[in-house]
Amino acid sequence: MSDPIRSVVILGGGTAGWITAGTLAARFKKDHAQPVSVTLVESPSVPTIGVGEGTWPTMRSTLKKMGVRESDFIRECNVGFKQGAKFARWTTGAEDDFYYHPLVLPEGFQSHNLASHWLAGDRQSSFSSAVCPQESLCEHNLAPKLIGTPEYSAVANYAYHLDAGKFSGFLQRHCTEYLGVHHILAEVTGIVESENGDIAKLQTDTAGDITGDLYIDCSGFRSRILGDHYQIPFRSCKDVLFIDSALAVQVPYASEDSPIATHTISTAQTAGWVWDIGLQNRRGVGHVFSSAHTDESRAFRELAAYLKLGESELDKLGVRKIPIEPGHREKFWHRNCVAIGLSAGFLEPLEASALVLVEISANMIAEQFPASRAAMEVIARRFNETFRYRWDRIIDFLKLHYVLTKRTDSEFWVDNCDPATVPESLQELLTLWRYQPPWHEDFDRAVEVFPAASYQYILYGMGFDTNASAFGLSTSHRGQAQQLLQQKQDATQQMLAGLEKHRDLINKICQYGLQRI
């Protein structure tokens, strides 16, 4: 009889460590008759990266399952709502060049592919504005819900922008006070294996030996267990995604009542792009770039120009440089250790894939938690297969943003369109989509990080041309599509009339709170 799994040790805090701790502890508390302990050990001297400020709508479910009150989270983590991303100057580089990747699916998306009808029409409006209301909400700076909308419920689908540093502290308090997570502040000085090659214990400077049955490596870029100890190779994807550096800065608002953007703004630059995220009390802004195509001083100047600041003014705000090594470990679960977060890998912050990977990793462990060491082998194999697939699909999706550009004004954009830098899997899909728009069956898994709708928003936002056939354009289908498009127009008008400005709703939530479910 194999030994049961009764204890989990998480190495490292930050958002990855605490999301994982909270997800597991909440699940154990709710479902397990036999207690499974969760211990998180982190260094008191290692700072967190603290720039993962964009999330996916999955975060609502993650926090709700932990028992977090949405109103508390919004108040304490400087949260703003996120309704998608606006991509500026990615296609042609012109001042008026932009498109949206909203978080609302096209109207009737589960059964009707409106992309075929938009392609066959006059295309007077953008694809996203034609098939869903959210571009209009973002352009009017409207919130995705009302003060009377219950916690975690939505009028329009939404995620969050958050202060990553405050979020880690918020989760730490919740996990230790309400979910029973044991928190240890100590330096890990050694990692000891048992005879069979499993991790037996972590040695620390002040807390003695810490033992567990399953170890989760959330130790950041260093990857103390999976990378340093087990020497699991790192698979770089720098030949596909060129971004390898970031300059990050926190920018105050001009006044307390300045509008808060309700979407991430991603503005293309000479050799990368600038992110711009609106929180309650500041903006988080950064320039990610390819060091092979530009240097830090030029990237700094472009960031200053974007912010309309002099270089000395920008310097006073305290710009941080963050190195990025795009890629991931060849496997994520080895023996009795699984890596989550930066210890598993990192790409670039485009499309906020970092935190959603943490969430779905922690959730898969919680849902398929091994009852015994023997069962762990099977679950580890499934986990590795699943996440190799997910990382590959995310790499494809991020590359899609670059390979569709029509910009030829710098080597960065030209090199991104070189077929040698495009994964074969993405090339195959692009060939298919020349003749039919993306749809559910184009992907292998029932649950994708980025569904077919996301590919549609990027493709047709960037002017990709599908020579769509007559399939799906019968008289009855056209009638159904017209009905759906009319429903979308009606919904848009109702939302524009009924929703309020983003900052106004945030102020009300901070003062009164949302209705508990």
Side-chain angles (χ1 to χ4, degrees):
M1 191 81 177
S2 181
D3 292 335
I5 306 301
R6 290 283 179 259
S7 58
V8 176
V9 174
I10 299 169
L11 174 57
T15 50
W18 289 109
I19 285 172
T20 302
T23 299
L24 294 177
R27 186 63 179 262
F28 298 154
K29 186 176 181 180
K30 176 177 178 287
D31 292 346
H32 285 236
Q34 295 293 326
V36 179
S37 68
V38 178
T39 299
L40 187 147
V41 55
E42 64 177 329
S43 165
S45 60
V46 176
T48 58
I49 296 295
V51 294
E53 297 181 330
T55 67
W56 268 81
T58 49
M59 187 60 74
R60 286 154 55 198
S61 174
T62 295
L63 295 176
K64 185 178 178 181
K65 287 177 182 177
M66 286 188 204
V68 169
R69 281 209 62 188
E70 188 177 32
S71 300
D72 293 340
F73 163 61
I74 289 171
R75 289 182 184 119
E76 295 185 38
C77 299
N78 287 340
V79 171
F81 292 112
K82 172 187 171 183
Q83 297 190 70
K86 181 178 184 177
F87 293 91
R89 305 180 66 180
W90 279 74
T91 306
T92 66
E95 287 292 332
D96 61 350
D97 164 28
F98 74 88
Y99 72 94
Y100 274 88
H101 177 194
L103 298 182
V104 168
L105 295 173
E107 195 76 28
F109 183 69
Q110 295 308 317
S111 57
H112 290 80
N113 193 344
L114 290 181
S116 298
H117 300 272
W118 180 81
L119 289 162
D122 56 23
R123 307 191 202 179
Q124 287 185 349
S125 60
S126 71
F127 175 71
S128 66
S129 66
V131 300
C132 89
Q134 205 149 37
E135 177 174 326
S136 295
L137 302 187
C138 292
E139 285 291 289
H140 287 83
N141 195 233
L142 297 178
K145 64 192 298 177
L146 298 163
I147 190 64
T149 310
E151 290 195 325
Y152 299 116
S153 298
V155 174
N157 194 25
Y158 66 86
Y160 307 105
H161 290 142
L162 53 84
D163 184 316
K166 292 192 173 186
F167 186 43
S168 295
F170 175 81
L171 288 177
Q172 174 191 319
R173 291 189 297 276
H174 183 80
C175 289
T176 54
E177 292 174 14
Y178 298 103
L179 296 177
V181 175
H182 185 39
H183 183 208
I184 297 173
L185 285 170
E187 300 287 354
V188 172
T189 57
I191 298 171
V192 179
E193 283 187 15
S194 59
E195 289 184 4
N196 69 354
D198 281 359
I199 302 300
K201 61 185 177 183
L202 304 180
Q203 297 172 320
T204 71
D205 61 346
T206 57
D209 293 343
I210 300 171
T211 62
D213 300 318
L214 174 65
Y215 292 81
I216 300 180
D217 188 347
C218 295
S219 62
F221 287 126
R222 185 174 174 185
S223 189
R224 289 286 304 277
I225 306 178
L226 203 71
D228 278 1
H229 181 80
Y230 278 128
Q231 295 290 301
I232 301 300
F234 183 85
R235 179 184 145 198
S236 173
C237 67
K238 200 172 176 181
D239 57 333
V240 177
L241 298 173
F242 306 152
I243 298 295
D244 63 359
S245 303
L247 298 175
V249 66
Q250 297 179 2
V251 182
Y253 287 114
S255 66
E256 289 186 357
D257 59 355
S258 293
I260 306 171
T262 186
H263 51 278
T264 301
I265 303 166
S266 302
T267 304
Q269 303 295 314
T270 304
W273 55 276
V274 167
W275 80 75
D276 194 337
I277 284 176
L279 303 182
Q280 293 173 31
N281 62 336
R282 63 168 174 84
R283 292 155 62 198
V285 183
H287 185 184
V288 289
F289 58 94
S290 165
S291 63
H293 294 88
T294 192
D295 57 39
E296 185 178 342
S297 61
R298 184 174 183 181
F300 187 91
R301 290 195 300 272
E302 290 193 355
L303 180 58
Y306 174 84
L307 291 168
K308 297 180 172 59
L309 295 174
E311 291 181 48
S312 60
E313 292 177 289
L314 176 57
D315 198 45
K316 289 176 184 175
L317 292 177
V319 178
R320 288 191 298 152
K321 183 177 181 182
I322 302 166
I324 296 171
E325 180 59 47
H328 57 81
R329 299 286 161 186
E330 287 189 359
K331 62 178 175 177
F332 312 99
W333 195 323
H334 180 68
R335 305 204 63 85
N336 67 335
C337 172
V338 54
I340 294 180
L342 298 177
S343 57
F346 184 70
L347 302 173
E348 56 174 281
L350 192 69
E351 295 287 6
S353 59
L355 284 183
V356 76
L357 276 167
V358 170
E359 292 179 80
I360 59 180
S361 297
N363 200 50
M364 184 171 179
I365 296 170
E367 289 183 352
Q368 300 189 24
F369 192 76
S372 66
R373 180 64 185 84
M376 192 184 296
E377 296 297 325
V378 177
I379 293 166
R381 178 180 55 77
R382 289 178 177 175
F383 187 95
N384 286 328
E385 288 175 358
T386 297
F387 281 90
R388 273 193 294 268
Y389 175 86
R390 283 178 169 158
W391 280 88
D392 285 346
R393 294 294 72 72
I394 292 171
I395 291 168
D396 281 357
F397 186 66
L398 299 189
K399 184 65 173 181
L400 182 70
H401 296 65
Y402 294 100
V403 77
L404 296 177
T405 188
K406 297 176 177 63
R407 293 184 61 157
T408 57
D409 54 303
S410 73
E411 289 185 5
F412 174 80
W413 296 103
V414 172
D415 289 350
N416 262 299
C417 295
D418 182 347
T421 73
V422 183
E424 190 174 319
S425 52
L426 179 57
Q427 291 190 38
E428 184 178 86
L429 287 170
L430 287 169
T431 300
L432 175 67
W433 294 334
R434 287 287 178 198
Y435 304 99
Q436 58 197 63
W439 199 231
H440 309 301
E441 289 77 15
D442 294 346
F443 304 97
D444 294 341
R445 304 296 172 102
V447 178
E448 294 281 343
V449 176
F450 296 103
S454 292
Y455 288 86
Q456 290 185 359
Y457 285 131
I458 307 307
L459 286 168
Y460 304 126
M462 296 191 72
F464 185 82
D465 194 23
T466 298
N467 299 314
S469 68
F471 185 78
L473 295 176
S474 65
T475 302
S476 63
H477 277 206
R478 285 179 182 271
Q480 291 167 349
Q482 286 304 313
Q483 272 189 318
L484 290 171
L485 292 172
Q486 186 60 53
Q487 287 176 22
K488 173 263 157 189
Q489 289 182 343
D490 294 344
T492 301
Q493 293 308 311
Q494 289 177 359
M495 291 182 191
L496 291 176
L499 293 170
E500 59 187 313
K501 294 294 184 182
H502 187 200
R503 183 174 284 282
D504 291 344
L505 177 61
I506 292 293
N507 288 343
K508 287 182 181 178
I509 293 171
C510 290
Q511 185 174 1
Y512 304 113
L514 290 161
Q515 176 187 337
R516 300 191 73 166
I517 298 173

